[in-house]
Amino acid sequence: MSTTVRTDSIDLPLLYRLFDLSPDEDLRVLVRRARATREALVQLVFSVAERSGHRLGTGSADELRRARARAEGYRRLHTAIRAAHPVHVLKGPAISQHYPEGVLRPTGDLDLVVADERELWAVVRVVLDHQSVDNLDYSVVDGERRHMMATLSWAPLDPLLDRDAKVDVGTAAYFGDGALLPVRSRPPADEVLTALLAIAEERFQRAFHAVDALDVIVLSRVGPESVAAAEATVREFRLAPEVTELLAHAGRCAPLGPFEELRRRLEPAAEQERERRLAATAAPPARVRYGMELRRAHRPDWRRAVEHHAGGDTLMLTPVGDYLLVESELVAPDRYEAALAALPHLPEGPR
């Protein structure tokens, strides 16, 4: 069921194929299917319907307006951050820039990767300079090396209907499956491959859906720069099973140009990787600890977090807040109170 598709011809017939619907179905059926698959996917349908000449009602038009405002807000933030600091964006603006004008790629959050902790706090500061933030979460992943993640979130235009807006800033690009695949810090130099691998890693959390397929279709019209280099990169990152499944998922709806050759070349690697995973002994999973905020702070001269130990707990004093590191959402009240009581006695400033 493949038809030649250009990035400027993302239309309703393509969406019907992506959602496994007959083109004879009413547009409302497509809307319901998209929303049932994933809430934000309906925004894509609204934008394509509008671009195809359908008149949107007040509800759908406002939902699309809010989604476009959200995407534009992320785009402005990314532009401001990139002007000040070297960052990699995993998906989001890196993919949506290749969508045709008027077609909205639903964007839940903005995922950014930085080189080290110093850059992480510098990027967080840029976000805070440009955006009022309601929550600032912090987490630490200890494996072969320590990685950190800061998550900044704030209320959307309609807090009762939409998810909070969110920016994730981390020192690693791909976190693997938590068992056999290691954390990979740096994304590839090729932006198309960076996005392709990020989509493929989603398979460890959920099944691929329509926007994943559409992203691949769009990216296939852009690159990669070299199919041979792309094959080598996917092998290096050990994601051949996920990438071949993703490319097959997208390829059932539209031809993928160079990605079709990439899928064929990766099939032996995918089988080898599956066999390697079956034979491997799972390594101890990386230890993830989440920061329970004790107090918000403002230390513009700090460039790193400072770790303290108090009463068997770990407290992290960061440039933007002080946190009790925990491994679960539930913490005994006396433990939280003890951490708060310890804060005034901790030395201020990096050691």
Side-chain angles (χ1 to χ4, degrees):
M1 193 191 296
S2 290
T3 325
T4 300
V5 176
R6 306 182 311 275
T7 56
D8 62 353
S9 64
I10 295 177
D11 52 19
L12 288 174
L14 174 59
L15 295 191
Y16 276 100
R17 293 198 299 275
L18 287 170
F19 285 101
D20 295 318
L21 290 172
S22 165
D24 298 325
E25 291 280 11
D26 189 90
L27 182 56
R28 286 173 292 188
V29 175
L30 177 60
V31 168
R32 287 195 291 269
R33 174 66 63 85
R35 198 183 291 280
T37 303
R38 187 180 177 192
E39 185 72 22
L41 296 187
V42 75
Q43 302 158 7
L44 167 68
V45 176
F46 289 156
S47 69
V48 174
E50 181 185 60
R51 191 170 185 259
S52 301
H54 287 266
R55 185 179 66 83
L56 302 184
T58 55
S60 52
D62 193 61
E63 187 167 349
L64 182 56
R65 177 191 64 83
R66 298 195 312 269
R68 283 178 169 152
R70 181 191 193 96
E72 176 59 20
Y74 285 149
R75 189 198 64 78
R76 288 197 304 267
L77 265 180
H78 180 230
T79 299
I81 293 166
R82 191 173 53 185
H85 302 283
V87 296
H88 294 277
V89 60
L90 291 182
K91 293 191 296 182
I95 303 176
S96 60
Q97 65 177 324
H98 301 301
Y99 272 58
E101 185 177 357
V103 176
L104 176 71
R105 179 189 183 273
T107 303
D109 49 27
L110 181 62
D111 292 312
L112 302 174
V113 181
V114 295
D116 53 33
E117 184 189 357
R118 181 188 180 98
E119 284 296 322
L120 182 145
W121 297 120
V123 168
V124 166
R125 182 57 57 196
V126 174
V127 176
L128 292 173
D129 287 343
H130 288 79
Q131 175 65 51
S132 296
V133 168
D134 296 323
N135 298 296
L136 210 167
D137 298 315
Y138 171 75
S139 57
V140 173
V141 180
D142 289 312
E144 292 184 3
R145 57 166 287 198
R146 171 171 287 181
H147 288 286
M148 297 181 178
M149 174 79 73
T151 300
L152 303 95
S153 58
W154 57 95
L157 289 175
D158 191 327
L160 297 182
L161 294 178
D162 302 331
R163 292 171 51 193
D164 283 357
K166 188 173 69 169
V167 175
D168 289 320
V169 188
T171 59
Y174 311 110
F175 284 90
D177 63 348
L180 299 175
L181 296 187
V183 175
R184 276 99 357 116
S185 303
R186 303 272 68 80
D190 185 337
E191 195 176 71
V192 169
L193 287 182
T194 293
L196 183 67
L197 295 182
I199 301 167
E201 281 246 336
E202 296 280 3
R203 189 63 183 89
F204 297 130
Q205 282 77 49
R206 58 167 175 79
F208 294 129
H209 56 51
V211 167
D212 299 321
L214 193 54
D215 282 346
V216 170
I217 292 168
V218 169
L219 290 173
S220 72
R221 286 12 178 204
V222 182
E225 296 172 3
S226 160
V227 173
E231 178 192 0
T233 298
V234 174
R235 285 176 177 269
E236 176 190 352
F237 281 76
R238 295 184 55 189
L239 287 173
E242 290 70 37
V243 170
T244 53
E245 180 184 347
L246 173 63
L247 296 182
H249 171 67
R252 68 184 178 82
C253 294
L256 301 180
F259 279 168
E260 292 183 345
E261 180 186 350
L262 177 62
R263 181 177 61 81
R264 288 192 296 271
R265 295 177 65 147
L266 281 174
E267 285 174 352
E271 185 59 33
Q272 292 164 9
E273 178 60 28
R274 281 189 285 266
E275 291 175 356
R276 176 168 23 173
R277 294 180 192 178
L278 285 173
T281 301
R287 184 186 184 197
V288 181
R289 290 179 291 169
Y290 306 95
M292 175 173 284
E293 187 179 281
L294 301 171
R295 65 184 178 188
R296 191 69 61 91
H298 181 74
R299 305 180 179 109
D301 56 329
W302 282 34
R303 297 295 181 268
R304 63 183 177 88
V306 181
E307 182 174 329
H308 290 283
H309 298 280
D313 275 320
T314 301
L315 306 183
M316 296 293 282
L317 276 56
T318 82
V320 295
D322 301 328
Y323 300 87
L324 167 65
L325 294 189
V326 298
E327 296 187 24
S328 65
E329 293 183 3
L330 298 178
V331 174
D334 57 347
R335 183 180 172 192
Y336 176 77
E337 294 298 332
L340 275 178
L343 283 180
H345 306 290
L346 300 180
E348 286 282 337
R351 295 182 298 178

